[in-house]
């Protein structure tokens, strides 16, 4: 047996000499071609733990993308062979009444914004006259005056707040009532309810912001000046019809007298983004009709008999398509639509979302995926609560409670099933946040990857398809095939009936 | 409407000020909480083409891994509900004769290596006496002597080469005959054929290397010295039983008198790698029995009626499982098994493969995935051919032809269907190499990604499952269910019959 080559021991080998073991591409005309020392130095397999450098795995990333495309193309072929083409323009039956009520709400809901404007107009008048009186009485007993002024401001605010509350509550209550009782179609209902919630948030922000602006006018505090941005339009100049209309259409839920603006509208930008919105909407529609609908339909029987393995299998199959629709919908709404709207309104702050797909904590997800709502909650709920001495954790829970109610309104009301799944989904976030916050504090990237994985699984791979399945089931239990099946079995329709019987 | 804030125009905004727009986590006890300027600066959506920095998409990488796991877990549930457990120890029926012939070949095949050793022993004796004669006659007419010596060497080499050729050919021919006609089980057959091919390559390398070593001894050329590594065991000392046995077991196909060696055997390393081999073998076995077998079985009817959409769908479904088995098999053989063998033999050059998963050219794939064979082909086929004036492109085609023949031997013979698919698969590589070589010359990463994608699709997602399907079909046509079906239809078995009828 040959003796070990002492010059090539495990440690003494220079790494740079690796390439020298390979023969040159165009070998020289040497006589001794068969004796070339192929194995000249000590080398490790690149996947071995001994290897000094970890190899790149970029090829496996490409492979993953390819396998995803291939396996979903295969499922599309399978789906086509099983169901044929399910996309159909005439199959979307909506009642004439739904459309009429939808249009009615579309024109009625913004009126509450105008009502808020009228309330603010009156408040501004009152403030102007109060300011006049205060200026006349200046120089008198300041301390007593200030106390009186504070009391007067607070009592006036209570009246204004009362009218605003009435106005805002009526907005949400009327829209919810109409959608729940008179608009059967869940798509039209969702649009109406979403519109009402947006206007409700805008009304709240308009009222609260103007309250503080008014206070700053009447009782200025030099230590806490207003943002310099607002100087170009001080209170009460901002209580104007034009200013309100801008806020009405601006892609934000947070009222400011002045916003950063872009110098001009790039119409090609608008067009490109509207084309994206249209294209993605069609893609989502096809995906729902061709892939999600039959899947949801044939999971009903499994849900009915509580066959958990089958339910799990259905949720796993549903997760890919719901994830796809969610990503497309997110891009269509938050990137394409809001950017188009911002361009038309020359609204310069386009941070409608952050890099939520990289989050390692579920808390960060909720503060980055939907910046308009986050900004509203932070300015008008969280900060005021903490400012009044509420512990931050409690303030966060209150924000999630409010958010849960709004989610339930947006999902439960249009589907006519206020079953609390959307609300419960928001509540589940609180322990998940506690868990991923801990993971995030771990050293290295492992905790971050684990947090990101928990986010995707809990939110996109389990949460959304499960919620979609439950609301679809509840809908079918009330109106659809499940209801008919129950009637055949001599049961009354409705999920409540199902739960009572179990 | 508020005037545009001139200080926040599209270009003048400092990027670093981004964070300043977010309120502090723990807000100060300010009175004016509702007037905070949420929208203070111009910002772009991070996915927008306007955005100055491309965001990280590392979260989507995690998502891809999760979706792959989820969708394949779902397919596993589906498979289980459809077929139950298909894994079964007693179902692997092999004939007693197969095992006997397998063991016979296992002991017979290495004898050809010993025969090669005896031939070399005789050649070394002859060389030693020739060297003695040359030394005695030194100082005489050198030019004439050299010419005579060259002639004498070549005529002797022709005799040696004849015996080596007989020996090597008999090795391959006997093994192939026995496997094709007497070993029915394709698994046992593949092992025997693989063993025979490995020994055949080792015999060839042993003969060719010793020929050049002998030539260097008899007619030394100071301008082209032998590798310094070989100095510790010069010819003819290397023609020893111990040296041959080391080459017999060393994880290489290329003979060298001396190899770089490690100082000691780490038995924990060996154990860990053998555990990996065992574990991965079990995983591959389960994957084949539970997932690949029913898939192959129920694609037969589609192949029989040439339903191309269904065949495509089957290949796409098969591709995931064949890819999985291929990756596991690659790791088990080239990383775990060869490293364990190298550790036991203290073989220091562990470069059994390169980073073939990142290749952007199919040429690079074939030179990196299987380094032992690449080293053999380069040293004993490609370099000598190019050295004799053969154009490199032609030499490469010859290498691929030889490789194609060996692949067909390894797949066609054990499955008793020399249908040429494996050979054709190797031949298809030549145009693919020409294509990806062009892509690789493109600037930027696009060409590289495209080359990598072409590699994965052609090789793993289409090539392998298609080949597996065709050989399985040919097998079934000769022995299995398809054959029975044909007999029912009054056709004789065999793929040839099928092709003749079409």
């Amino acid at each position: 047996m040959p003796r070990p080559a002492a010059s090539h021991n495990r440690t003494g080998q220079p790494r740079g000499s690796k390439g020298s073991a390979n023969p040159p591409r165009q070998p020289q005309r040497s006589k001794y071609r068969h004796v070339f020392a192929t194995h000249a130095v000590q080398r490790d397999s690149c996947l071995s733990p001994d290897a000094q450098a970890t190899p790149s795995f970029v090829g496996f990333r490409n492979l993953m993308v390819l396998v995803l495309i291939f396996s979903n193309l295969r499922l599309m072929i399978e789906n086509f062979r099983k169901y044929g083409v399910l996309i159909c323009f005439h199959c979307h039956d909506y009642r004439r009444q739904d459309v009429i009520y939808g249009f009615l709400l579309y024109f009625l809901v913004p009126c509450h914004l105008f009502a808020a404007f009228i309330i603010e107009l009156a408040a501004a008048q009152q403030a102007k006259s109060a300011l006049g009186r205060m200026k006349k009485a200046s120089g008198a007993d300041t301390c007593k005056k200030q106390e009186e002024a504070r009391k007067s401001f607070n009592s006036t605010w209570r009246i204004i707040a009362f009218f605003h509350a009435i106005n805002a509550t009526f907005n949400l209550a009327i829209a919810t009532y109409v959608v729940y009782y008179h608009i059967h179609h869940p798509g039209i209902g969702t649009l109406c309810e979403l519109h009402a919630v947006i206007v409700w948030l805008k009304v709240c922000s308009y009222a609260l912001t103007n309250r503080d602006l008014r206070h700053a006018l009447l009782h200025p505090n030099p230590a806490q000046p207003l943002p310099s941005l607002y100087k170009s339009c001080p209170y009460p100049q901002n209580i104007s019809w034009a200013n309100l209309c801008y806020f009405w259409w601006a892609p934000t839920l947070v009222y400011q007298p002045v916003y950063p603006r872009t110098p001009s509208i790039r119409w090609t930008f608008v067009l490109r983004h509207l084309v994206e919105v249209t294209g993605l909407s069609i893609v989502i529609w096809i995906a729902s009709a061709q892939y999600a609908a039959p899947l949801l339909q044939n999971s009903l029987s499994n849900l009915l008999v509580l066959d958990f393995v089958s339910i799990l299998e259905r949720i796993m199959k549903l997760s890919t398509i719901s994830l796809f629709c969610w990503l497309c919908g997110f891009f269509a709404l938050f990137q394409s639509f809001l950017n188009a709207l911002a361009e038309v309104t020359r609204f310069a702050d386009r941070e409608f979302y952050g890099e939520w797909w990289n989050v390692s904590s579920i808390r960060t997800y909720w503060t980055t995926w939907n910046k308009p709502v986050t900004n509203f909650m932070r300015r008008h709920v969280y900060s005021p609560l903490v400012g009044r001495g509420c512990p931050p954790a409690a303030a966060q829970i209150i924000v999630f409670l409010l958010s849960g109610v709004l989610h339930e309104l947006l999902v439960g009301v249009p589907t006519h099933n206020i079953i609390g799944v959307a609300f419960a989904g928001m509540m589940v976030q609180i322990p998940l946040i506690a868990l991923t916050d801990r993971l995030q504090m771990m050293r290295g990237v492992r905790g971050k990857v684990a947090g990101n994985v928990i986010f995707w699984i809990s939110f996109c791979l389990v949460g959304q398809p499960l919620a979609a399945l439950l609301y679809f089931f509840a809908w079918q239990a009330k109106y659809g095939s499940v209801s008919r099946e129950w009637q055949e079995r001599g049961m009354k329709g409705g999920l409540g009936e199902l739960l009572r019987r179990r």
Side-chain angles (χ1 to χ4, degrees), chain A:
Chain A
M1 218 180 280
R3 275 168 288 151
S7 63
H8 295 96
N9 59 17
R10 189 160 277 275
T11 47
Q13 182 229 122
R15 267 276 138 181
S17 70
K18 196 176 175 181
S20 68
N22 295 323
R25 271 223 156 184
Q26 187 87 30
Q28 292 175 303
R29 285 179 161 272
S30 154
K31 272 206 107 60
Y32 306 132
R33 285 175 288 266
H34 296 293
V35 292
F36 176 82
T38 303
H39 305 291
V41 292
Q42 174 163 346
R43 288 181 291 200
D44 289 314
S45 304
C46 65
L47 292 177
S48 190
D50 292 336
Q52 284 173 0
T54 312
S56 157
F57 291 109
V58 70
F60 284 117
R61 188 205 56 191
N62 298 339
L63 178 63
M64 280 202 300
V65 176
L66 282 175
V67 170
L68 274 179
I69 293 173
F70 257 65
S71 45
N72 285 296
L73 272 180
R74 186 191 77 76
L75 288 175
M76 284 164 82
I77 295 177
E78 201 181 72
N79 169 287
F80 176 76
R81 294 180 78 83
K82 208 165 165 186
Y83 302 111
V85 175
L86 294 176
I87 296 149
C88 146
F89 288 99
H90 310 286
C91 310
H92 290 270
D93 56 335
Y94 46 84
R95 302 180 312 178
R96 197 184 159 79
Q97 185 195 330
D98 290 0
V99 181
I100 293 169
Y101 274 108
F103 268 104
L104 219 68
L105 278 182
Y106 183 72
F107 292 110
L108 194 76
V109 163
C111 293
H112 293 277
L113 209 51
F114 311 149
F117 171 64
I118 290 162
I119 296 167
E120 280 304 319
L121 214 56
Q125 280 302 333
Q126 200 272 345
K128 267 188 268 185
S129 59
L131 193 68
R133 263 178 283 131
M134 275 165 77
K135 271 186 184 155
K136 273 182 203 161
S138 68
D141 184 358
T142 328
C143 194
K144 202 186 162 197
K145 281 275 170 195
Q146 273 187 355
E147 181 59 19
E148 255 175 42
R150 200 186 57 77
K151 273 189 186 165
S152 143
F153 181 86
N154 279 348
S155 64
T156 319
W157 164 239
R158 255 175 236 123
I159 298 164
I160 300 166
F162 174 76
F163 282 110
H164 273 309
I166 294 275
N167 177 41
T169 309
F170 262 85
N171 166 30
L172 214 52
I174 293 170
T176 302
Y177 174 83
V178 171
V179 169
Y180 194 82
Y181 288 105
H182 297 293
I183 299 183
H184 180 75
H185 193 278
I188 299 172
T190 304
L191 285 178
C192 292
E193 192 68 22
L194 183 64
H195 186 205
V197 167
I198 288 170
V199 168
W200 184 74
L201 292 171
K202 288 202 183 212
V203 165
C204 292
S205 182
Y206 193 68
L208 291 167
T209 309
N210 278 317
R211 179 225 178 256
D212 272 9
L213 288 173
R214 198 159 49 241
H215 193 278
L217 174 78
L218 295 175
H219 316 288
N221 181 351
Q224 293 179 343
L226 288 178
S228 58
L229 183 65
Y230 300 174
K231 275 178 188 150
S232 63
C233 183
Y235 190 87
Q237 280 179 34
N238 68 312
I239 307 298
S240 72
W241 177 246
N243 187 293
L244 176 88
C245 284
Y246 185 77
F247 177 53
W248 175 19
W249 285 99
T252 179
L253 300 171
V254 163
Y255 176 69
Q256 289 180 199
V258 184
Y259 294 100
R261 304 286 293 274
T262 57
S264 61
I265 302 175
R266 294 169 294 172
W267 287 105
T268 51
F269 182 98
V270 176
L271 189 72
R272 202 178 64 229
H273 284 76
L274 289 181
V275 167
E276 282 174 9
V277 173
T278 316
L280 285 168
S281 304
I282 293 172
V283 164
I284 294 171
W285 172 58
I286 292 175
S288 320
Q290 182 73 39
Y291 303 104
L295 241 170
L296 285 166
Q297 201 68 47
N298 61 29
S299 26
L300 287 178
S301 54
N302 299 326
L303 255 177
L304 207 55
V305 296
L306 286 181
D307 175 355
F308 282 113
V309 179
S310 291
I311 293 172
L312 182 71
E313 191 267 343
R314 290 289 92 182
I315 287 174
M316 286 168 107
K317 186 155 189 181
L318 198 57
S319 69
T320 312
I321 191 75
S322 83
L323 180 66
F324 176 80
C325 289
W326 155 250
L327 291 178
C328 288
F330 169 81
F331 195 90
L333 183 58
F334 283 85
Q335 164 65 17
S336 306
F337 177 73
L338 287 186
N339 263 293
L341 186 59
E343 190 68 26
V344 169
T345 54
R346 292 175 35 234
F347 190 84
D349 185 1
R350 313 269 167 101
E351 210 191 46
F352 304 119
Y353 56 88
E355 298 177 21
W356 57 264
W357 46 89
N358 299 330
V359 297
S360 52
S361 145
I362 288 180
R363 175 199 304 283
T364 322
Y365 170 72
W366 287 107
T367 55
T368 47
W369 88 274
N370 184 338
K371 285 268 183 184
V373 168
T374 302
N375 289 336
F376 178 91
M377 291 292 184
R378 194 174 261 160
R379 192 164 93 158
H380 298 304
V381 183
Y382 179 80
S383 295
L385 280 173
V386 174
R388 276 155 203 257
C390 174
Q396 278 166 16
I397 289 173
I398 290 169
V399 167
F400 270 92
L401 278 168
L402 176 59
S403 181
V405 170
L406 292 180
H407 273 85
E408 188 65 37
L409 275 183
L410 284 173
V411 184
V413 170
T415 55
H416 313 284
N417 276 293
I418 305 182
I419 54 177
V421 170
F423 181 78
M426 286 304 292
M427 291 305 104
V428 167
Q429 303 306 314
I430 296 168
L432 281 175
I433 285 175
L435 173 68
T436 51
D437 273 358
R438 295 226 164 163
L439 282 173
Q440 209 178 21
M441 288 187 309
M442 274 171 63
R443 276 189 201 172
V445 292
R446 277 204 193 169
K448 291 197 176 41
V449 170
N452 190 247
V453 164
I454 289 175
F455 154 67
W456 283 116
I457 292 180
S458 68
F459 186 63
C460 290
L461 296 181
V462 175
Q464 284 191 344
L466 184 64
L469 195 59
L470 288 174
Y471 278 101
F472 182 80
F473 183 70
W475 172 275
Q476 293 292 344
K478 202 163 176 180
Y479 304 108
S481 54
V482 178
S483 165
R484 277 195 295 280
E485 204 169 310
W486 278 341
Q487 276 159 10
E488 281 162 21
R489 293 194 200 172
M491 290 157 84
K492 267 184 263 168
L495 189 70
E497 184 67 14
L498 173 73
L499 296 173
R500 251 170 279 135
R501 294 233 167 189
R502 284 208 178 271

